[in-house]
Amino acid sequence: MNNEIKTSDNTAGSLRLIGFLILIIGIILLFISQVMEITVEPDYANIDVNVAQHLPEKVANIELIANKTNFTLLGGFLMIFGMQLSLVSNKIISEIKEQFKKPL
């Protein structure tokens, strides 16, 4: 049985392309997370007018803050992962192939 890994000659190029796409997606997610609105307008329907004048017009929503944090973390991780894949070279790919050719 042949244990050789079958890869194309342009494996590093494919990894670079996938890494570049993941990097772009991470940058887009990071940008979206930074422009997300985290405040909402409260409903002051049943409050006296004198009291409502001293209340804020917008308040921070904890769920929106959590969503912003999640998008920021996901965008950052995708950027790091995409950067690592896009910096792969042919030498690294050939070294990995050689490691798998060695018998245990």
Side-chain angles (χ1 to χ4, degrees):
M1 187 169 177
N2 191 358
N3 290 335
E4 186 175 330
I5 297 174
K6 294 182 170 100
T7 58
S8 66
D9 293 335
N10 198 11
T11 304
S14 299
L15 281 176
R16 280 191 212 113
L17 178 64
I18 292 170
F20 185 70
L21 293 175
I22 291 173
L23 177 66
I24 295 298
I25 291 170
I27 290 171
I28 290 170
L29 275 177
L30 198 61
F31 178 74
I32 288 172
S33 73
Q34 296 307 307
V35 297
M36 285 177 77
E37 183 69 35
I38 59 169
T39 59
V40 293
E41 293 182 12
D43 183 21
Y44 295 135
N46 298 327
I47 296 180
D48 186 24
V49 174
N50 294 332
V51 175
Q53 290 176 349
H54 301 292
L55 294 175
E57 292 182 19
K58 288 191 171 189
V59 293
N61 186 335
I62 293 177
E63 182 181 1
L64 293 177
I65 293 171
N67 285 340
K68 182 174 183 169
T69 303
N70 289 339
F71 272 81
T72 303
L73 288 172
L74 182 63
F77 286 138
L78 286 177
M79 281 181 52
I80 291 170
F81 185 66
M83 184 74 73
Q84 289 177 345
L85 283 181
S86 64
L87 295 176
V88 160
S89 67
N90 289 331
K91 181 180 175 188
I92 293 172
I93 296 295
S94 62
E95 288 175 3
I96 292 171
K97 282 186 193 177
E98 291 298 322
Q99 288 178 355
F100 281 105
K101 287 182 182 178
K102 295 178 184 175
L104 296 175

